[in-house]
């Protein structure tokens, strides 16, 4: 049995027995338009700044997210860092999210750990709607002992 699966099973059993929770922290922001690459390789890019967490989206739907995630307990939690793209009013008001969030990282964190998460993926729906997107939302999802 692989280690990740074994830890996940043990954590799930401990969470059920001890009243653990699930938590999703969300923060939205508008993108800044820029260009990724140079010359013939140049592509439109949106940069998103969520405090210590940064993300970008390319017009082909490729996305990347990275930053520090803080755990606030001695007991462990499973953390995932993700992103969601949408269309809304200025200031990310009244946003219509384009599909479900995409999660790009997975870390088990314990003992008040501050851990760097780095990940990414590809979103066909973001590629199809690239010119309309004017809001991004970062999500930090935690299962376990999340405070």
């Amino acid at each position: 049995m692989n280690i990740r699966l074994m830890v996940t099973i043990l954590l799930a059993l401990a969470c059920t027995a001890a009243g653990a929770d699930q938590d999703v922290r969300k923060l939205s922001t508008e993108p800044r338009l820029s260009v990724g690459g140079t010359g013939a390789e140049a592509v439109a890019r949106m940069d998103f700044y969520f405090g210590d967490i940064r993300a970008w989206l390319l017009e082909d739907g490729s996305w990347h997210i990275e930053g520090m995630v803080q755990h606030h307990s001695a007991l462990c939690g499973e953390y995932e860092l993700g992103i969601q793209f949408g269309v809304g009013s200025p200031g990310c008001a009244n946003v219509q999210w384009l599909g479900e969030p995409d999660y790009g990282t997975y870390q088990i964190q314990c003992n008040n750990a501050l851990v760097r998460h780095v990940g990414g993926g590809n979103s066909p729906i973001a590629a199809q709607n690239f010119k309309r997107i004017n809001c991004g939302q970062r999500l930090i999802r935690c299962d376990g002992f999340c405070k």
Side-chain angles (χ1 to χ4, degrees):
M1 182 181 294
N2 83 29
I3 301 262
R4 180 177 173 181
L5 178 60
M6 200 163 59
V7 169
T8 301
I9 291 169
L10 290 173
L11 183 59
L13 291 172
C15 293
T16 302
D21 58 353
Q22 182 181 50
D23 179 44
V24 178
R25 292 179 271 169
K26 301 176 182 179
L27 181 62
S28 300
T29 191
E30 295 176 302
R32 296 182 186 160
L33 294 175
S34 65
V35 176
T38 58
E41 302 293 320
V43 294
R45 172 176 157 154
M46 291 183 196
D47 292 296
F48 298 88
Y49 299 95
F50 306 100
D52 288 343
I53 295 175
R54 308 247 190 280
W56 51 255
L57 171 67
L58 299 180
E59 60 188 327
D60 69 357
S62 300
W63 59 271
H64 176 85
I65 191 164
E66 65 182 79
M68 303 301 286
V69 174
Q70 178 72 54
H71 177 62
H72 298 285
S73 175
L75 300 173
C76 300
E78 295 179 36
Y79 283 85
E80 294 176 280
L81 180 59
I83 194 156
Q84 192 170 23
F85 305 104
V87 178
S89 302
C92 289
N94 303 313
V95 178
Q96 176 187 355
W97 298 111
L98 303 171
E100 295 297 314
D102 287 317
Y103 289 90
T105 71
Y106 173 87
Q107 299 276 349
I108 295 175
Q109 295 179 222
C110 309
N111 299 323
N112 297 308
L114 179 63
V115 175
R116 182 167 190 75
H117 286 244
V118 178
N122 189 283
S123 172
I125 196 165
Q128 294 167 358
N129 292 280
F130 185 83
K131 292 182 180 179
R132 297 180 50 230
I133 293 171
N134 64 353
C135 189
Q137 176 172 249
R138 74 94 176 109
L139 300 98
I140 300 172
R141 180 167 64 185
C142 177
D143 285 312
F145 292 90
C146 317
K147 292 185 179 192

